[in-house]
């Protein structure tokens, strides 16, 4: 496994619709495992392949990353599709591709997702709570949609202003002109 560089907004791959995985092979498994390792070292609970610069429909998630009772809740899937959804929830979301900011986003509170697992088999699973929120956030990434696109126009502008401020704190020469 290897840690990959996490791409930050507004790099092009984050606003590009990712391609489906056509078959599970060792390259995809390696990508999934690298993404899991990258997610854990970055203290994230979810990561989509475009966030490591790969425009494929692959995501990893672990909403209990501290491995409570020695149990990992790691999910590594390809081609996820929400087949059913219910309810509604608002949660303050962050994103590894937007370091330094968070914003409240409205999501479905319970979803059913069809996907291909690391073993290559298709399966359907149910998610609610933080897992449902995180899955919708990551599946959006596969569409080239980031969480700020789920905000109103004013909220989005404020979030981007905060983002530029945060990036400039880590790098005074950060080019704010690229952020729109
Ligand atoms: Zn994200």
């Amino acid at each position: 496994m290897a840690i990959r560089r996490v791409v930050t907004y507004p790099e092009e791959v984050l606003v590009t619709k990712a391609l489906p995985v056509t078959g599970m092979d060792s390259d995809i498994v390696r990508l999934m495992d690298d993404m899991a390792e990258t997610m854990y070292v970055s203290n994230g609970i979810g990561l989509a392949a475009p966030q490591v610069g790969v425009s494929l429909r692959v995501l990893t998630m672990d909403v209990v990353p501290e491995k409570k009772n020695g149990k990992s809740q790691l999910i590594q899937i390809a081609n996820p599709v929400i087949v059913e959804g219910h309810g509604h929830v608002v949660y303050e979301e962050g994103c590894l591709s937007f370091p330094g900011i968070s914003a409240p986003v409205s999501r479905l509170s319970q979803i059913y997702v069809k996907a291909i697992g690391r073993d290559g088999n298709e399966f359907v699973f149910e998610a609610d709570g933080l897992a449902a929120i995180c899955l919708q956030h990551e599946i959006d990434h596969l569409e080239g949609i980031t969480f700020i696109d789920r905000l109103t126009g004013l909220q989005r502008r404020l979030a981007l202003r905060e983002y530029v401020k945060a990036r400039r704190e880590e790098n005074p020469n950060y080019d704010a002109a690229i952020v729109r």
Side-chain angles (χ1 to χ4, degrees), residues 14 46-48 51 94-98 137-138 141 145-147:
L14 290 175
L47 196 65
Q51 292 182 277
C95 180
L96 292 176
S97 296
F98 288 82
H137 177 115
E138 304 309 334
H141 273 303
I145 296 168
T146 61
F147 79 119

Side-chain angles (χ1 to χ4, degrees), residues 1-6 31-44 47 51-52 96:
M1 291 208 283
I3 295 162
R4 304 204 185 190
R5 182 180 76 89
V6 176
L31 171 66
M32 285 177 165
D33 290 345
D34 286 355
M35 285 171 58
E37 191 175 6
T38 305
M39 175 180 77
Y40 286 128
V41 300
S42 309
N43 295 314
L47 196 65
Q51 292 182 277
V52 292
L96 292 176

Side-chain angles (χ1 to χ4, degrees), residues 7-16 50-51 93-95 97-98 101 105 107 136-151 156 160 180:
V7 166
T8 57
Y9 186 80
E11 287 187 53
E12 191 67 27
V13 68
L14 290 175
V15 293
T16 303
Q51 292 182 277
E93 294 185 16
C95 180
S97 296
F98 288 82
I101 67 162
V105 181
R107 304 281 187 188
Q136 289 167 85
H137 177 115
E138 304 309 334
I139 291 170
D140 269 357
H141 273 303
L142 308 180
E143 293 296 318
I145 296 168
T146 61
F147 79 119
I148 62 160
D149 299 322
R150 295 292 185 190
L151 306 175
R156 190 178 189 280
L160 284 178
R180 265 168 284 118

Side-chain angles (χ1 to χ4, degrees), residues 55-75:
S55 201
L56 283 174
R57 303 183 82 81
V58 172
L59 67 84
T60 60
M61 179 179 85
D62 188 345
V63 294
V64 192
E66 64 269 34
K67 295 190 174 67
K68 275 187 187 142
N69 310 319
K71 259 195 201 165
S72 166
Q73 293 197 0
L74 178 61
I75 285 175

